[in-house]
Amino acid sequence: MPRRQTRPAPLPDLWLLSDARNDARLEQALRALPRGSGFVFRHYHLASDARRRRFEELAQVARECGHAAILSGSAGEAKRWRADGLYGPAGRIGPGGPRLRIAAAHDRAEIEAANAIGADAVMLSPVFATRSHPDAPALGPERFRALAALARMPVIALGGMTAARAGELDWPRWAAIDGLS
């Protein structure tokens, strides 16, 4: 008997990340994304029960639009909350499992950690200056490309990204908070 496929469909090219700043516009933003995009739910500002309820609301909208709903949290939470995957530092998301695993990375060490756990993708940031981390130095296109070349998995550009910047960077996979909401 063939083994059942447990991974979600192919990795989306376009990703929307949630934040306290874009919460009021998330349903509208999810509906505006091309079918088959990805959504990373963060909402660290909410208490646990409220955070789960908000995830369930937004995951329903995301799935109605054909998007993957990824949770920034632990593998246990992703399973209990029925998320399509999880996002976070490589050490938190860990190796293997049936869900899509997207590691967050900002430097060489974090790319290497993502490689070590065999993450399905890595979100590398900040490519450009961003309101999320106003004091963090941007990687810039050159350093972004050098770090991305070290990854053994697809790289998603994050940080100050918009459709125009993704075009300038000539990078197929990108994510945004403000740039898509």
Side-chain angles (χ1 to χ4, degrees), residues 24-65:
R25 302 179 307 277
L26 283 171
E27 286 88 350
Q28 179 183 357
L30 285 166
R31 288 185 178 99
L33 290 173
R35 189 165 190 77
S37 294
F39 171 60
V40 176
F41 179 83
R42 299 178 325 150
H43 272 55
Y44 308 125
H45 63 285
L46 296 178
S48 183
D49 288 344
R51 186 171 186 254
R52 182 166 186 174
R53 281 191 305 276
R54 188 64 174 139
F55 172 79
E56 289 170 355
E57 293 167 359
L58 293 169
Q60 180 177 345
V61 173
R63 290 182 181 124
E64 286 169 2
C65 297

Side-chain angles (χ1 to χ4, degrees), residues 17-19 21 39-45 51 70-72 87 132-133 177:
L17 279 73
S18 78
D19 191 276
R21 294 188 319 262
F39 171 60
V40 176
F41 179 83
R42 299 178 325 150
H43 272 55
Y44 308 125
H45 63 285
R51 186 171 186 254
I70 307 299
L71 176 67
S72 178
Y87 165 83
S132 298
H133 303 288
I177 298 169

Side-chain angles (χ1 to χ4, degrees), residues 89-91 103-117 122 124 143 147 150:
H106 306 89
D107 57 32
R108 180 186 192 108
E110 290 174 339
I111 293 281
E112 289 170 354
N115 287 339
I117 64 158
V122 64
L124 180 56
R143 182 152 163 70
L147 287 170
L150 301 173

Side-chain angles (χ1 to χ4, degrees), residues 74-151:
S74 70
E77 283 176 318
K79 183 178 181 179
R80 286 190 306 279
W81 294 17
R82 296 190 176 112
D84 298 318
L86 63 154
Y87 165 83
R92 188 178 76 212
I93 65 173
R99 286 172 176 70
L100 184 64
R101 293 167 309 118
I102 302 172
H106 306 89
D107 57 32
R108 180 186 192 108
E110 290 174 339
I111 293 281
E112 289 170 354
N115 287 339
I117 64 158
D120 298 300
V122 64
M123 211 170 272
L124 180 56
S125 70
V127 182
F128 300 104
T130 176
R131 285 182 21 191
S132 298
H133 303 288
D135 298 326
L139 297 171
E142 211 171 285
R143 182 152 163 70
F144 168 81
R145 286 182 184 288
L147 287 170
L150 301 173

